[in-house]
Amino acid sequence: IFSMLFSNGTAENPDAGLLVGNGWSYDGASCTGTDSCSGGRAGYLFGNGGAGWNGGAGGNAGFFWGAAGNGGDASVGCSGSTCDGGRGGAAGLFGTGGAGGAGENGGDGGRGGRGGTLIGDGGAGGAGGFALLAGQSGGAGGAGGSVGRFSLFGDGGAGGVGGNGADGA
């Protein structure tokens, strides 16, 4: 019962314990191939959200305190809608929102996560992906994360930079 309430996430079970713990952050060793992996959710009361990978979303922080996870950059060599960066996770009452992931191959950057409801900054939006194919448009930068509704201290996140379009006929 203790580990069910108080534990950190793992690659097999990315979400933290029910009350306290940090969500799992993916990387190239724990999220293989081009599948997207979303970061683990923090414990309900306290904890940090995990980072996404290959365009996966960042995990949300705990209700009272914690930093939200960053969205994953789109996987290299992607095609179609999987070229968009993942959105950043949202903070609880106190904490920062996660940054959005960068797009790839003309994909859009992920939206930054919302900052803490009372105190905390919104996450930055991810950069849009550069176009690789002739005549293709670059991806739009992700929107910066907002601050919480009743925020006493905090700034919205910066928007992501758009990607350049490709030359060609």
PDB file of all heavy atoms in Angstrom, residues 32-50:
ATOM      1  N   THR A  32      11.744   3.737 -27.484  1.00  0.00           N
ATOM      2  CA  THR A  32      12.492   3.421 -28.703  1.00  0.00           C
ATOM      3  C   THR A  32      11.626   3.555 -29.948  1.00  0.00           C
ATOM      4  O   THR A  32      10.405   3.581 -29.882  1.00  0.00           O
ATOM      5  CB  THR A  32      13.054   1.993 -28.609  1.00  0.00           C
ATOM      6  OG1 THR A  32      11.971   1.080 -28.441  1.00  0.00           O
ATOM      7  CG2 THR A  32      14.017   1.867 -27.442  1.00  0.00           C
ATOM      8  N   GLY A  33      12.286   3.638 -31.090  1.00  0.00           N
ATOM      9  CA  GLY A  33      11.579   3.757 -32.358  1.00  0.00           C
ATOM     10  C   GLY A  33      11.021   5.158 -32.548  1.00  0.00           C
ATOM     11  O   GLY A  33      11.539   6.125 -32.016  1.00  0.00           O
ATOM     12  N   THR A  34       9.939   5.245 -33.318  1.00  0.00           N
ATOM     13  CA  THR A  34       9.326   6.548 -33.590  1.00  0.00           C
ATOM     14  C   THR A  34       7.994   6.728 -32.858  1.00  0.00           C
ATOM     15  O   THR A  34       7.312   7.719 -33.069  1.00  0.00           O
ATOM     16  CB  THR A  34       9.106   6.744 -35.104  1.00  0.00           C
ATOM     17  OG1 THR A  34       8.285   5.682 -35.589  1.00  0.00           O
ATOM     18  CG2 THR A  34      10.430   6.768 -35.847  1.00  0.00           C
ATOM     19  N   ASP A  35       7.620   5.777 -32.009  1.00  0.00           N
ATOM     20  CA  ASP A  35       6.391   5.943 -31.230  1.00  0.00           C
ATOM     21  C   ASP A  35       6.566   7.072 -30.231  1.00  0.00           C
ATOM     22  O   ASP A  35       7.645   7.260 -29.666  1.00  0.00           O
ATOM     23  CB  ASP A  35       6.051   4.665 -30.458  1.00  0.00           C
ATOM     24  CG  ASP A  35       5.597   3.537 -31.368  1.00  0.00           C
ATOM     25  OD1 ASP A  35       5.171   3.838 -32.498  1.00  0.00           O
ATOM     26  OD2 ASP A  35       5.684   2.374 -30.950  1.00  0.00           O
ATOM     27  N   SER A  36       5.491   7.848 -29.998  1.00  0.00           N
ATOM     28  CA  SER A  36       5.580   8.917 -29.007  1.00  0.00           C
ATOM     29  C   SER A  36       5.280   8.354 -27.623  1.00  0.00           C
ATOM     30  O   SER A  36       4.488   7.434 -27.473  1.00  0.00           O
ATOM     31  CB  SER A  36       4.618  10.058 -29.350  1.00  0.00           C
ATOM     32  OG  SER A  36       3.297   9.629 -29.246  1.00  0.00           O
ATOM     33  N   CYS A  37       5.958   8.905 -26.631  1.00  0.00           N
ATOM     34  CA  CYS A  37       5.765   8.500 -25.242  1.00  0.00           C
ATOM     35  C   CYS A  37       5.480   9.751 -24.416  1.00  0.00           C
ATOM     36  O   CYS A  37       6.277  10.688 -24.417  1.00  0.00           O
ATOM     37  CB  CYS A  37       7.014   7.803 -24.712  1.00  0.00           C
ATOM     38  SG  CYS A  37       7.447   6.291 -25.587  1.00  0.00           S
ATOM     39  N   SER A  38       4.362   9.768 -23.719  1.00  0.00           N
ATOM     40  CA  SER A  38       4.006  10.905 -22.870  1.00  0.00           C
ATOM     41  C   SER A  38       4.576  10.717 -21.480  1.00  0.00           C
ATOM     42  O   SER A  38       4.526   9.616 -20.923  1.00  0.00           O
ATOM     43  CB  SER A  38       2.481  11.052 -22.790  1.00  0.00           C
ATOM     44  OG  SER A  38       1.971  11.437 -24.045  1.00  0.00           O
ATOM     45  N   GLY A  39       5.132  11.797 -20.917  1.00  0.00           N
ATOM     46  CA  GLY A  39       5.722  11.743 -19.586  1.00  0.00           C
ATOM     47  C   GLY A  39       4.688  11.385 -18.530  1.00  0.00           C
ATOM     48  O   GLY A  39       3.492  11.622 -18.682  1.00  0.00           O
ATOM     49  N   GLY A  40       5.160  10.806 -17.446  1.00  0.00           N
ATOM     50  CA  GLY A  40       4.278  10.373 -16.376  1.00  0.00           C
ATOM     51  C   GLY A  40       3.717  11.526 -15.565  1.00  0.00           C
ATOM     52  O   GLY A  40       4.351  12.568 -15.397  1.00  0.00           O
ATOM     53  N   ARG A  41       2.527  11.326 -15.060  1.00  0.00           N
ATOM     54  CA  ARG A  41       1.826  12.300 -14.208  1.00  0.00           C
ATOM     55  C   ARG A  41       2.401  12.208 -12.796  1.00  0.00           C
ATOM     56  O   ARG A  41       2.719  11.123 -12.305  1.00  0.00           O
ATOM     57  CB  ARG A  41       0.350  11.916 -14.227  1.00  0.00           C
ATOM     58  CG  ARG A  41      -0.579  12.832 -13.511  1.00  0.00           C
ATOM     59  CD  ARG A  41      -2.020  12.330 -13.609  1.00  0.00           C
ATOM     60  NE  ARG A  41      -2.209  11.111 -12.848  1.00  0.00           N
ATOM     61  CZ  ARG A  41      -2.567   9.939 -13.366  1.00  0.00           C
ATOM     62  NH1 ARG A  41      -2.790   9.807 -14.638  1.00  0.00           N
ATOM     63  NH2 ARG A  41      -2.711   8.888 -12.592  1.00  0.00           N
ATOM     64  N   ALA A  42       2.544  13.349 -12.148  1.00  0.00           N
ATOM     65  CA  ALA A  42       3.036  13.387 -10.764  1.00  0.00           C
ATOM     66  C   ALA A  42       1.968  12.879  -9.808  1.00  0.00           C
ATOM     67  O   ALA A  42       0.800  12.725 -10.176  1.00  0.00           O
ATOM     68  CB  ALA A  42       3.418  14.819 -10.400  1.00  0.00           C
ATOM     69  N   GLY A  43       2.373  12.660  -8.555  1.00  0.00           N
ATOM     70  CA  GLY A  43       1.409  12.313  -7.520  1.00  0.00           C
ATOM     71  C   GLY A  43       0.367  13.422  -7.368  1.00  0.00           C
ATOM     72  O   GLY A  43       0.638  14.582  -7.672  1.00  0.00           O
ATOM     73  N   TYR A  44      -0.816  13.070  -6.875  1.00  0.00           N
ATOM     74  CA  TYR A  44      -1.903  14.043  -6.796  1.00  0.00           C
ATOM     75  C   TYR A  44      -1.532  15.268  -5.965  1.00  0.00           C
ATOM     76  O   TYR A  44      -1.860  16.385  -6.338  1.00  0.00           O
ATOM     77  CB  TYR A  44      -3.166  13.378  -6.230  1.00  0.00           C
ATOM     78  CG  TYR A  44      -4.331  14.320  -6.157  1.00  0.00           C
ATOM     79  CD1 TYR A  44      -4.974  14.737  -7.316  1.00  0.00           C
ATOM     80  CD2 TYR A  44      -4.761  14.843  -4.949  1.00  0.00           C
ATOM     81  CE1 TYR A  44      -6.028  15.630  -7.273  1.00  0.00           C
ATOM     82  CE2 TYR A  44      -5.818  15.731  -4.881  1.00  0.00           C
ATOM     83  CZ  TYR A  44      -6.445  16.124  -6.049  1.00  0.00           C
ATOM     84  OH  TYR A  44      -7.482  17.018  -5.992  1.00  0.00           O
ATOM     85  N   LEU A  45      -0.828  15.094  -4.864  1.00  0.00           N
ATOM     86  CA  LEU A  45      -0.532  16.227  -3.984  1.00  0.00           C
ATOM     87  C   LEU A  45       0.765  16.939  -4.358  1.00  0.00           C
ATOM     88  O   LEU A  45       0.781  18.155  -4.502  1.00  0.00           O
ATOM     89  CB  LEU A  45      -0.455  15.758  -2.534  1.00  0.00           C
ATOM     90  CG  LEU A  45      -1.735  15.151  -1.969  1.00  0.00           C
ATOM     91  CD1 LEU A  45      -1.510  14.681  -0.539  1.00  0.00           C
ATOM     92  CD2 LEU A  45      -2.869  16.152  -2.034  1.00  0.00           C
ATOM     93  N   PHE A  46       1.855  16.198  -4.490  1.00  0.00           N
ATOM     94  CA  PHE A  46       3.175  16.784  -4.730  1.00  0.00           C
ATOM     95  C   PHE A  46       3.941  15.955  -5.739  1.00  0.00           C
ATOM     96  O   PHE A  46       3.849  14.735  -5.739  1.00  0.00           O
ATOM     97  CB  PHE A  46       4.011  16.831  -3.434  1.00  0.00           C
ATOM     98  CG  PHE A  46       3.393  17.623  -2.336  1.00  0.00           C
ATOM     99  CD1 PHE A  46       2.707  16.994  -1.317  1.00  0.00           C
ATOM    100  CD2 PHE A  46       3.488  19.005  -2.316  1.00  0.00           C
ATOM    101  CE1 PHE A  46       2.137  17.718  -0.286  1.00  0.00           C
ATOM    102  CE2 PHE A  46       2.924  19.738  -1.290  1.00  0.00           C
ATOM    103  CZ  PHE A  46       2.247  19.097  -0.283  1.00  0.00           C
ATOM    104  N   GLY A  47       4.756  16.646  -6.544  1.00  0.00           N
ATOM    105  CA  GLY A  47       5.652  15.946  -7.454  1.00  0.00           C
ATOM    106  C   GLY A  47       5.789  16.654  -8.786  1.00  0.00           C
ATOM    107  O   GLY A  47       4.980  17.508  -9.158  1.00  0.00           O
ATOM    108  N   ASN A  48       6.835  16.276  -9.497  1.00  0.00           N
ATOM    109  CA  ASN A  48       7.118  16.826 -10.812  1.00  0.00           C
ATOM    110  C   ASN A  48       6.583  15.890 -11.897  1.00  0.00           C
ATOM    111  O   ASN A  48       6.677  14.670 -11.765  1.00  0.00           O
ATOM    112  CB  ASN A  48       8.625  16.990 -11.001  1.00  0.00           C
ATOM    113  CG  ASN A  48       9.226  17.936  -9.988  1.00  0.00           C
ATOM    114  OD1 ASN A  48       8.654  18.981  -9.694  1.00  0.00           O
ATOM    115  ND2 ASN A  48      10.375  17.584  -9.439  1.00  0.00           N
ATOM    116  N   GLY A  49       6.090  16.484 -12.967  1.00  0.00           N
ATOM    117  CA  GLY A  49       5.656  15.686 -14.108  1.00  0.00           C
ATOM    118  C   GLY A  49       6.860  15.227 -14.910  1.00  0.00           C
ATOM    119  O   GLY A  49       7.904  15.863 -14.909  1.00  0.00           O
ATOM    120  N   GLY A  50       6.727  14.109 -15.600  1.00  0.00           N
ATOM    121  CA  GLY A  50       7.810  13.571 -16.411  1.00  0.00           C
ATOM    122  C   GLY A  50       7.832  14.173 -17.808  1.00  0.00           C
ATOM    123  O   GLY A  50       6.826  14.679 -18.306  1.00  0.00           O
TER     124      GLY A  50
END
